[in-house]
Amino acid sequence: MILAIDDDPERYEHLIRLLDGRAQVVVACCPTCVAELLPLATAVLLDYDLDSGDPCPRCFASYALWSSHSKAIVHVGRVAERKIPVIVTSASRSENIHALCLKLKEHGVKPGQYRASDIEPELNWIGRLFVMGVL
């Protein structure tokens, strides 16, 4: 199972179609769901900004309940403990993506990095997941 830590589940619809059942993609962003799903994940797709105001795509917890954790940086320690492949998928500002990648590297994780705003980023994600041995 690939865990997409993101507040926008629609971003992963094309990826799910391209994977065609070869891997399950689950999207969640609230701290409770991330903690529950992370032990089951074989890879993580990590967005920086988790503050759209939409509820968690998995449990529909209100944004107001977890807004103090609106940046993915709070998940870095937990993600790093798993020692699984991580791809930063954010469309955030370059300095935010850079800060997230640096934090991951401080924890011993060498993340792949692909801007979600690029054309067909899913193909890059799939290629990286293949090279990382996830697919």
Side-chain angles (χ1 to χ4, degrees), residues 72-123:
I73 212 137
V74 302
H75 298 299
V76 166
R78 204 177 286 141
V79 167
E81 287 173 2
R82 287 281 294 127
K83 298 185 182 351
I84 57 176
V86 178
I87 299 174
V88 174
T89 63
S90 187
S92 188
R93 295 187 338 237
S94 295
E95 57 268 22
N96 293 340
I97 295 169
H98 182 69
L100 181 57
C101 288
L102 280 178
K103 197 63 151 170
L104 285 161
K105 288 176 184 175
E106 287 174 13
H107 283 82
V109 175
K110 295 179 183 174
Q113 178 183 337
Y114 301 101
R115 293 189 59 82
S117 56
D118 290 345
I119 296 172
E120 298 280 344
E122 299 86 359
L123 297 177

Side-chain angles (χ1 to χ4, degrees), residues 18-78:
L18 289 170
L19 288 173
D20 193 31
R22 286 186 285 278
Q24 178 187 19
V25 177
V26 178
V27 184
C29 60
C30 76
T32 302
C33 287
V34 170
E36 180 183 317
L37 293 167
L38 201 49
L40 306 173
T42 57
V44 170
L45 301 174
L46 187 60
D47 184 26
Y48 177 81
D49 293 306
L50 305 175
D51 56 1
S52 70
D54 293 333
C56 175
R58 182 165 183 267
C59 72
F60 304 106
S62 169
Y63 172 72
L65 297 176
W66 56 274
S67 61
S68 63
H69 303 285
S70 65
K71 303 297 179 204
I73 212 137
V74 302
H75 298 299
V76 166
R78 204 177 286 141

